[in-house]
Amino acid sequence: MNRRTTVIFTSALALVGGLALGGCSSADASGGTAPELKVSGAFIPEPVNRDMAGGFLTLTNTGGADATLTSVSSDVSDDVQMHETKNQKMQQVQSFDVPANGELKLERGGSHLMFMALKRELKQGDKVRVELRFKDADAVTVEVPVEARTHNPAKAADAHQHH
């Protein structure tokens, strides 16, 4: 190759390499990275009555952008509500924020899901299909186990830390 061919070839390689690297970026149009969501610790305590049940889980966002949980659906209820507890009062909310590199904990005594007008009786050992939908991320579907009425992983974790 002569010098001119080498310069053109090298410039073309640099251009192709730059395009390839640009295509590998995880940045979205707003310049941040997309939310990356994972569900853990999900459970529904066996309901005391047949009409409604509470749901609890932790949503972890390891991405660089916030996510907003906007709705929840399930095979056991046509009306799954999101509730928060503030000043010891429960109220329905339209969304929950899941901060970038953070988490949303839905737990007993705090924010949680409410499955209203249950379509079937839920017993310990059952699984409930739940779909979480977000304003700014793909939906997440999870199989949530029905646990004992007294199941409370937060209290179990506290007990383990005190030993």
Side-chain angles (χ1 to χ4, degrees), residues 38-47 53-59 72-76 80 106 113-115 118 120-132 140-148 151 153:
K38 185 182 85 172
V39 174
S40 61
F43 73 98
I44 296 172
E46 185 176 273
F56 308 97
L57 55 85
T58 299
L59 258 171
V72 181
S73 61
S74 171
D75 60 342
V76 298
V80 182
L106 301 181
L113 303 176
M114 285 300 298
F115 298 82
L118 295 174
R120 62 180 163 94
E121 189 174 359
L122 298 180
K123 291 285 187 198
Q124 186 174 348
D126 290 349
K127 297 256 192 234
V128 175
R129 184 179 171 92
V130 176
E131 184 177 80
L132 307 167
V140 174
T141 301
V142 62
E143 293 287 321
V144 179
V146 178
E147 300 285 358
H151 183 72

Side-chain angles (χ1 to χ4, degrees), residues 14-120:
L15 178 63
V16 169
L19 290 173
L21 287 175
C24 293
S25 170
S26 62
D28 61 21
S30 66
T33 59
E36 291 179 34
L37 301 164
K38 185 182 85 172
V39 174
S40 61
F43 73 98
I44 296 172
E46 185 176 273
V48 175
N49 65 49
R50 295 174 149 214
D51 294 337
M52 67 180 81
F56 308 97
L57 55 85
T58 299
L59 258 171
T60 303
N61 180 358
T62 58
D66 296 344
T68 304
L69 177 64
T70 56
S71 68
V72 181
S73 61
S74 171
D75 60 342
V76 298
S77 172
D78 291 329
D79 182 14
V80 182
Q81 300 177 4
M82 296 179 285
H83 289 180
E84 70 177 3
T85 304
K86 282 196 176 172
N87 302 321
Q88 300 180 337
K89 289 188 177 153
M90 185 174 70
Q91 63 187 24
Q92 187 174 353
V93 295
Q94 298 305 308
S95 65
F96 283 123
D97 292 327
V98 188
N101 298 305
E103 62 184 18
L104 167 67
K105 284 186 179 252
L106 301 181
E107 55 192 353
R108 289 182 183 265
S111 299
H112 59 277
L113 303 176
M114 285 300 298
F115 298 82
M116 311 301 286
L118 295 174
K119 297 178 184 180
R120 62 180 163 94

